[in-house]
Amino acid sequence: MAWFKKTRKPIESTADKPSRVPEGLWVKCPGCSQIIYNKDLDKNLQVCPKCSHHFRISAADRLRSLFDDGEWTEHFPNLTSNDPLKFTDTKPYRDRLRSTIEKTGMSDAVIVGTGRIDDLDAVVAAMEYSFIGGSMGVVVGEKITRAIEIALDRRQPIIIVSCSGGARMMEGALSLMQMAKVSAALSRLDRARLPFISVLTDPTTGGVTASFAMLGDLNIAEPKALIGFAGPRVIEQTIRQKLPEGFQRSEFLLEHGMLDLIVDRRDLKTTIARALRFMGAQSTSAVPVPVGASNTSEPPR
Ligand SMILES: [Zn+2]
């Protein structure tokens, strides 16, 4: 016989009870714990109006926030992975791909678009975190490489917005090879004297950080973004030391010389445009001088 017995029922959990507030109307900010109206957040590019916490945004919203009038031409929207390793973890990769494509309406974790940023022609590749953690498999690698090739053909600058957990493990070594492929394409871009601006958002980790995300002529991060190669827990276990406060966040990386700038999302477009003009880009509506060629021409006398 037990000495103690529960005579009364425990208090019922409220977690499963339906909320009377309609889903998605309000959101609690993880930065300041304030309740924010979702429409206010939308108007503010998903940045908390009270504490400037940056919520994660989709690739499409990212392109909308960068291109003039929110308009762009999408490239290679139909490239999909074909599960080359016939990989299965908790479920077959093929099923995971199919359900993610249905859920997100995208074919893989990146959108490549061309359009204008403050009247400057540019190529932008934006990664989508909700597509298997924004992981880089063969399709992401191929689309980013082709985006760089468009930039080369048209002599336009490229901006790559990273938001990724790293290489896609379900594609094994094939996904790791994308690091080399994209980096090689970027070195051709460099030889052609065309600018590449890397924008690192929360999170940018693993093989993406270890390849193109850190290769920008200008590496810009959003505030408080997690940027690193291995996760903090893995590092602590390996070196058996406690990591310093704010480790692997944008501010820490800027202080240690790994980044050039931290820019609030609401100022990102103007900052990119200013940087591109500094690097020699000119509005196409003015004079048709290609980007990067301006430093070879003689100044007007
Ligand atoms: Zn906040």
Side-chain angles (χ1 to χ4, degrees), residues 29-32 47-48 50-56 200-205 220-228 245-254 259 261-266:
C29 171
C32 61
V47 177
C48 172
K50 283 155 190 151
C51 73
S52 299
H53 172 82
H54 284 51
F55 287 81
R56 200 169 287 155
L200 299 92
T201 70
D202 183 66
T204 300
T205 58
I220 303 176
E222 285 193 342
K224 298 201 177 93
L226 174 75
I227 300 162
E245 180 73 23
F247 181 72
Q248 291 187 326
R249 295 282 161 184
S250 313
E251 293 70 15
F252 188 92
L253 271 81
L254 181 73
L259 294 173
L261 276 175
I262 296 176
V263 178
D264 189 297
R265 186 178 294 154
R266 293 162 289 186

Side-chain angles (χ1 to χ4, degrees), residues 108-123:
D108 214 297
V110 69
I111 303 179
V112 173
T114 48
R116 284 181 173 194
I117 299 174
D118 193 21
D119 215 23
L120 301 170
D121 285 320
V123 185

Side-chain angles (χ1 to χ4, degrees), residues 19-26:
S19 157
R20 279 191 294 147
V21 180
E23 181 106 9
L25 202 55
W26 301 85

Side-chain angles (χ1 to χ4, degrees), residues 172-188:
L174 293 167
S175 72
L176 298 180
M177 287 172 194
Q178 306 310 313
M179 297 166 64
K181 184 165 86 182
V182 176
S183 303
L186 282 175
S187 84
R188 280 196 283 146

